[in-house]
Amino acid sequence: MQLEDYFEFLTPEDIRVKGTRIGIENILYEYVVNNKTAEEIAELFNTLSLEQVYATILYYLRDREAIGQYLDNWLDYTNKAQAEFDRHPPPFVAKVLRWKLERLTQVEGASK
């Protein structure tokens, strides 16, 4: 079995663990950014085997430059998407945020 056999290459920006909907970026984020061990990651993603987690880490370690760029691109995309969501939340989210602010203001006003 080749290392690449563990993955589905849907697009250059979407590599998933074969047989799952989990992108390698989710595993690598935990490994690279959060410094989790393979065992800890396998516990977080209960649909993954420890073997699949190790295969993903090895895939990253084998080509840190390319896979590191893949992870950087994903992080950049998610950060931009979050910033856009924060600037222009959907109407329901905006309504809930206004409601929370009103409640907070009422509670602070009542405690004075």
Coordinates of all heavy atoms in Angstrom, one line a residue, residues 85-86 88-98:
F85 N -17.5 36.6 8.1 CA -18.7 36.3 8.9 C -18.9 37.2 10.0 O -20.0 37.7 10.3 CB -18.5 34.8 9.4 CG -19.7 34.4 10.2 CD1 -20.8 33.7 9.6 CD2 -19.7 34.5 11.6 CE1 -21.9 33.3 10.4 CE2 -20.8 34.1 12.4 CZ -21.9 33.5 11.7
D86 N -17.8 37.6 10.7 CA -17.9 38.5 11.8 C -18.4 39.9 11.4 O -19.1 40.6 12.1 CB -16.5 38.7 12.5 CG -16.2 37.4 13.3 OD1 -17.0 36.5 13.5 OD2 -15.0 37.3 13.6
H88 N -20.2 40.6 8.6 CA -21.5 40.5 8.0 C -22.2 39.2 8.4 O -22.3 38.3 7.5 CB -21.4 40.6 6.5 CG -20.7 41.8 5.9 ND1 -21.2 43.0 6.0 CD2 -19.5 41.9 5.4 CE1 -20.4 43.9 5.5 NE2 -19.3 43.2 5.1
P89 N -22.6 39.1 9.6 CA -23.2 37.8 10.1 C -24.6 37.6 9.4 O -25.2 38.6 9.0 CB -23.4 38.0 11.6 CG -23.4 39.4 11.8 CD -22.5 40.0 10.7
P90 N -25.0 36.4 9.2 CA -26.4 36.2 8.7 C -27.4 36.8 9.6 O -27.1 37.1 10.8 CB -26.5 34.6 8.8 CG -25.1 34.1 8.9 CD -24.3 35.2 9.5
P91 N -28.6 37.2 9.1 CA -29.6 37.9 9.9 C -29.9 37.3 11.2 O -30.0 38.0 12.2 CB -30.8 37.9 8.9 CG -30.2 37.8 7.6 CD -29.0 36.9 7.7
F92 N -30.1 35.9 11.2 CA -30.4 35.3 12.5 C -29.3 35.5 13.5 O -29.5 35.8 14.7 CB -30.7 33.8 12.3 CG -30.9 33.1 13.6 CD1 -32.1 33.2 14.2 CD2 -29.9 32.3 14.1 CE1 -32.3 32.5 15.4 CE2 -30.1 31.6 15.3 CZ -31.4 31.8 16.0
V93 N -28.0 35.3 13.1 CA -26.9 35.5 14.0 C -26.8 36.9 14.5 O -26.6 37.2 15.7 CB -25.6 35.1 13.3 CG1 -24.4 35.4 14.2 CG2 -25.6 33.6 13.0
A94 N -27.0 37.9 13.6 CA -27.0 39.3 14.0 C -28.1 39.6 15.0 O -27.9 40.3 16.0 CB -27.2 40.2 12.8
K95 N -29.3 39.0 14.9 CA -30.4 39.1 15.8 C -30.0 38.6 17.2 O -30.3 39.2 18.2 CB -31.7 38.4 15.2 CG -32.9 38.6 16.1 CD -34.1 38.0 15.4 CE -35.3 38.2 16.2 NZ -36.5 37.6 15.6
V96 N -29.5 37.4 17.2 CA -29.1 36.8 18.5 C -28.0 37.6 19.2 O -28.0 37.9 20.4 CB -28.5 35.3 18.3 CG1 -27.9 34.8 19.5 CG2 -29.7 34.4 17.8
L97 N -27.0 38.2 18.4 CA -26.0 39.0 19.0 C -26.6 40.3 19.6 O -26.2 40.7 20.7 CB -24.9 39.4 17.9 CG -24.1 38.2 17.5 CD1 -23.2 38.6 16.3 CD2 -23.2 37.6 18.6
R98 N -27.6 40.9 18.9 CA -28.2 42.1 19.4 C -29.0 41.7 20.7 O -28.9 42.5 21.7 CB -29.2 42.7 18.4 CG -28.5 43.5 17.3 CD -29.5 44.3 16.5 NE -30.5 43.5 15.8 CZ -30.4 42.9 14.7 NH1 -29.3 43.0 14.0 NH2 -31.4 42.1 14.2

